[in-house]
Amino acid sequence: MTQSPMSDDRKVIAEFVDVHRHYMMGTNVVRALNGVSMQVRQGDYLAIMGRSGSGKSTMLNLLGCLDRPTSGQYLVGGRDVSQLDDDALSDVRGREIGFIFQSFNLIPQLTVLENLEVPLFYQNRVGPESRAKAEHLARRVGLGGRLDHRPLELSGGQQQRVAIARALMNDPLFLLADEATGNLDSNTELEILALLDELRAEGVTIVIVTHNENVALRADKTLWLKDGEVEQLVDNRLAQTGGGAS
Amino acid sequence: MRTVKLGLKSLMLHKLRSCLTTAGILFGVASVIAMLAVGEGASKEALDRFRDMGVTNILARSVKPPDTQQSSSQSAFSAMAYGLLYSEADLVQSALPKAKVVRVREVQRPLMRGEYFRTTIVVGTETDFIEVTNMHISEGRWLSEVDDQTLSNTCVIGASLANTLFPLENPLGQTILTGNDDRYVVVGVLEYQGRAAGPAGTTYDECMFIPMSTSRRRFGEEVSTSSGGSFKRERIELNEVKVKLETSEEVESAAHIMRDLLLEAHKQQNDVEITVPLELLKQEEASKRMFNIVLAVIASISLLVGGIGIMNVMLATVTERTREIGIRRALGAKRKHIIQQFLVEAGVLSALGGVVGVLLGMLVPIGIEAWFAQKTIILVPHVLLAFGISAAVGVVFGIYPAWRAANMDPVEALRHE
Ligand SMILES: Nc1ncnc2c1ncn2[C@@H]1O[C@H](COP(=O)(O)OP(=O)(O)O)[C@@H](O)[C@H]1O
Ligand SMILES: [Mg+2]
């Protein structure tokens, strides 16, 4: 499924329009993001890279609606969310975004099933259906028999699988992964990346923030940040093809 | 419901800490329930006693004056005179024409019936006595006007005395011998009273009742007692004058009149005491109110302490679970959801303390009743109130920690280690 970047008619599901995020440090202004524009289309697999301090985390927080831009627009599914209040932003997170964290972030006192149901709980959608869905997704990530386990009874890779299943529970517009394999050994990392590849092949949109180039190369495109600005947007397939030719 | 279940789950994370936290609430609730039960029991006992005395009654009693130089200077042969006089009873009756005025004379005598023997109080009194004291006949009849007018040797006996002197036979129609060979025919037996409202040291259940005029004739006004080798004579006309008013509204003014009439005359010897059960009842009610206020203050303090404990633990919990809060916020929880979660947890925590506290508080009075023979009463509203308040304390003291949790910046919370 190769698409030319010139004639892309897939739906834009997340879009930054000249987004700034400035922090006040005393009298200094830190321009963590300084006029970033970019689009994520349906089915995209986008990696965001950059050196430390380049603005990756800031961008992730904005993409995840955990934070609001100082100026500019952020459109999620075509709707500008940059000015929404806390409750409305919570709703956008709960309905449109699937979070995957570096440290898994499962809730320790809850079982796998209960962890999976948390996103739906806040939308009052917990019931037999959510249970069925949790079972389905647990099987999908290869943990069908572990619904009653506690997170600490699982290995790191298994926990991250649960987290991925949890991120899918609300049928999000896109998955937002923050250094999703940073806490895993290299074998497990490959397994998780393979799982993301599968999801991606099923049409799930993925945005992953990483500083690991091998992880980034799994994505179609890599957006490089530098000093809060977009340095370049690299099409990895072209780059890889180029690499293979030489 | 689910929130409550999840709240319990979180509390199970720190079983010991949760238990210790609830201890404050627990002991607060338990002690308040126990104190209420004991207070309620003691107060009911007192109130019942005063009610038994009759809330429309006023009782004037002769009391032996404290040993003064007067009595020591008296010769051994002249009797010491004290107490209420027949004439004073008449004065009271004319001052309170609508009231029932009953004269009472009490003499200690040994009573014999065949092989059965008992020293007790022989009460000389009038026909209204039974109504004024609110006692009832179980067999036979009460003393009549005719008995009084004819100075008849008839008697009515209390239930316990009947059992003592006539363990096997029906006392009606039988005779009882007093020490000086007087014979009295039993015409009635009183119902068992089981209350303390009798002449000093006894209950009316132990007494024998005879007509006033008979008592006056047989026993006279002088009593000889010998104690420790010294021989004493006392002269006393009436031991008690019982006054029954028609309504309790009249009690206050009647008490005033009687105090004016009697206490003034007996000021010197200080040998008359006036008891107004209604006043005692009101005093008891007032002191019970006071007790309840004190109890409420103690309860508030202990619940405050318990509440602060809960707040303390909830603050620690919130800090500990900062990351969980961040995760929940990222997964779509609104501030109100976080508030709700921690309020429920605090409420569950203190309600648990409340439940155990109530149970403990109900056990303590049982023990007190068994060991100290102190009557206790547990009222359902008290239990519900204690439980409700303890749960409310958790919620109230959980508000600030929950508010802190809800107002964390999700980004900061997620970054928290
Ligand atoms: N909360 C904050 N307050 C002040 N400055 C911040 C804050 N968060 C990030 N920054 C600054 O913004 C810039 C970008 O940071 P960040 O987005 O964390 O970069 P990265 O994740 O790529 O390392 C850095 O200079 C950082 O110091
Ligand atoms: Mg960072």
Side-chain angles (χ1 to χ4, degrees), chain A residues 16-23 29-37 53-56 58-59 62 69-72 225-231:
Chain A
F16 271 21
V17 181
D18 192 26
V19 166
H20 290 253
R21 180 65 172 98
H22 300 169
Y23 295 104
V29 180
V30 180
R31 296 168 196 277
L33 284 190
N34 199 14
V36 172
S37 296
S54 59
K56 299 187 298 294
T58 304
M59 185 154 177
L62 289 171
T70 311
S71 70
L225 285 179
K226 188 181 181 193
D227 297 335
E229 292 175 19
V230 179
E231 190 185 28

Side-chain angles (χ1 to χ4, degrees), chain A residues 61 66 86-87 90-91 93-94 99 101 103 105-107 109-111 114 117-119 121-122 126 150 166, chain B residues 2-3 5-6 9-10 13 321 323-324 327-335 337 341 409-411 414-415:
Chain A
N61 293 337
L66 293 162
D86 190 88
D87 276 5
S90 300
D91 261 337
R93 290 195 296 269
F99 283 91
F101 303 92
S103 45
N105 277 351
L106 300 174
I107 299 174
Q109 68 267 29
L110 304 185
T111 64
E114 286 164 341
E117 284 178 330
V118 169
F121 175 67
Y122 293 118
V126 169
R150 302 277 160 141
R166 180 178 67 183
Chain B
R2 189 186 158 87
T3 325
K5 188 183 139 209
L6 295 181
K9 238 176 184 173
S10 307
L13 277 181
R321 287 159 66 195
R323 183 180 273 264
E324 179 190 327
I327 299 167
R328 289 180 182 273
R329 295 283 274 136
L331 298 181
K334 296 177 181 164
R335 287 194 175 124
H337 291 125
Q341 178 188 345
D409 174 18
V411 173
L414 276 169
R415 210 182 285 154

Side-chain angles (χ1 to χ4, degrees), chain A:
Chain A
M1 122 170 199
T2 39
Q3 265 126 355
S4 154
M6 305 297 147
S7 63
D8 204 337
D9 53 1
R10 289 170 304 148
K11 217 172 106 195
V12 176
I13 54 177
E15 179 172 15
F16 271 21
V17 181
D18 192 26
V19 166
H20 290 253
R21 180 65 172 98
H22 300 169
Y23 295 104
M24 292 302 298
M25 295 291 283
T27 52
N28 290 0
V29 180
V30 180
R31 296 168 196 277
L33 284 190
N34 199 14
V36 172
S37 296
M38 63 105 201
Q39 292 181 338
V40 178
R41 286 177 186 268
Q42 175 78 51
D44 266 351
Y45 189 171
L46 175 72
I48 297 172
M49 287 197 73
R51 270 193 239 130
S52 179
S54 59
K56 299 187 298 294
S57 298
T58 304
M59 185 154 177
L60 177 102
N61 293 337
L62 289 171
L63 282 169
C65 290
L66 293 162
D67 192 13
R68 271 180 289 244
T70 311
S71 70
Q73 283 185 315
Y74 175 30
L75 304 154
V76 176
R79 172 184 179 209
D80 184 4
V81 301
S82 55
Q83 306 299 325
L84 294 183
D85 67 12
D86 190 88
D87 276 5
L89 272 184
S90 300
D91 261 337
V92 176
R93 290 195 296 269
R95 290 176 201 282
E96 317 290 15
I97 299 167
F99 283 91
I100 303 169
F101 303 92
Q102 177 172 3
S103 45
F104 325 136
N105 277 351
L106 300 174
I107 299 174
Q109 68 267 29
L110 304 185
T111 64
V112 167
L113 174 66
E114 286 164 341
N115 264 289
L116 291 181
E117 284 178 330
V118 169
L120 298 188
F121 175 67
Y122 293 118
Q123 296 169 45
N124 288 324
R125 283 164 59 194
V126 169
E129 266 174 57
S130 68
R131 203 199 148 89
K133 184 162 197 175
E135 280 167 358
H136 167 75
L137 285 173
R139 249 179 282 127
R140 173 68 193 80
V141 299
L143 288 169
R146 306 293 178 111
L147 283 174
D148 295 325
H149 287 236
R150 302 277 160 141
L152 290 179
E153 297 162 11
L154 303 176
S155 70
Q158 287 172 323
Q159 288 188 50
Q160 195 60 302
R161 285 166 187 275
V162 175
I164 290 169
R166 180 178 67 183
L168 293 167
M169 280 295 286
N170 56 347
D171 300 311
L173 281 178
F174 62 97
L175 290 187
L176 185 58
D178 177 14
E179 213 62 88
T181 58
N183 280 14
L184 302 173
D185 62 61
S186 49
N187 281 340
T188 320
E189 173 172 58
L190 289 176
E191 282 173 33
I192 295 296
L193 290 175
L195 176 58
L196 289 179
D197 284 347
E198 286 171 34
L199 292 174
R200 186 266 136 97
E202 290 167 17
V204 176
T205 310
I206 301 171
V207 177
I208 181 163
V209 174
T210 180
H211 62 248
N212 182 333
E213 198 142 7
N214 291 327
V215 173
L217 282 174
R218 296 281 188 141
D220 310 330
K221 293 179 223 163
T222 303
L223 181 109
W224 285 87
L225 285 179
K226 188 181 181 193
D227 297 335
E229 292 175 19
V230 179
E231 190 185 28
Q232 54 176 331
L233 181 63
V234 180
D235 191 320
N236 294 327
R237 289 160 304 183
L238 295 180
Q240 267 171 325
T241 333
S246 63

